[in-house]
Amino acid sequence: QVRLVESGGGSVEAGGGLTLSCEVVSGYSSGRKCMAWFRQAPGLERDEMVAVIDGDGATEYTDSVRGRWTISQDIAKKSLYLHMDRAKPEDTGRYYCAARFDVTGGCSNHPLWFPYRGQGTQVTVST
């Protein structure tokens, strides 16, 4: 059974930064994978993928965070990270990591494409 556990959320003032972590505590696969961070917030029609990293280490970001945030992974630690810099109030939301293993093509940005997800961690950015 695949289990993902996030940590690192909290409150931060606008302009500050946080680092979210996600550990695959069980069910990790060494095969090619896609791992991503999603955001849930009022007003979003669906969970928004803010960043994704594929099996080759290629990354993609949603426009609102590109240049401010960095997604990274530590394969040895079976962990995924989201380094959030220059936070804005509109970044507020619940963030969760998601994973799909044994991927043969590219990564999707749709939350339902990822079969595994964590419980999430709240990030609140104040003015």
Side-chain angles (χ1 to χ4, degrees):
Q1 182 179 357
V2 177
R3 182 167 171 244
L4 310 177
V5 178
E6 300 95 339
S7 60
S11 297
V12 63
E13 291 186 353
L18 280 175
T19 295
L20 305 184
S21 301
C22 170
E23 181 181 359
V24 184
V25 298
S26 64
Y28 185 84
S29 171
S30 59
R32 194 170 187 277
K33 62 186 69 64
C34 291
M35 297 192 72
W37 288 98
F38 283 85
R39 173 171 60 210
Q40 296 176 316
L44 290 178
E45 292 187 359
R46 75 178 194 198
D47 299 351
E48 178 187 29
M49 188 184 75
V50 296
V52 63
I53 187 167
D54 72 11
D56 299 320
T59 59
E60 290 185 14
Y61 301 88
T62 192
D63 288 345
S64 64
V65 309
R66 189 177 295 113
R68 298 190 294 127
W69 296 4
T70 303
I71 187 172
S72 64
Q73 62 183 346
D74 186 327
I75 295 175
K77 294 183 178 180
K78 302 176 184 179
S79 293
L80 181 74
Y81 306 98
L82 185 65
H83 308 278
M84 309 165 69
D85 294 324
R86 291 178 280 150
K88 301 177 180 180
E90 52 264 42
D91 297 329
T92 294
R94 187 163 187 84
Y95 289 76
Y96 65 87
C97 63
R100 184 178 179 113
F101 300 127
D102 301 320
V103 175
T104 57
C107 304
S108 170
N109 65 357
H110 199 289
L112 296 181
W113 186 80
F114 294 82
Y116 310 113
R117 54 180 286 182
Q119 292 297 311
T121 184
Q122 179 68 30
V123 173
T124 302
V125 183
S126 59
T127 55

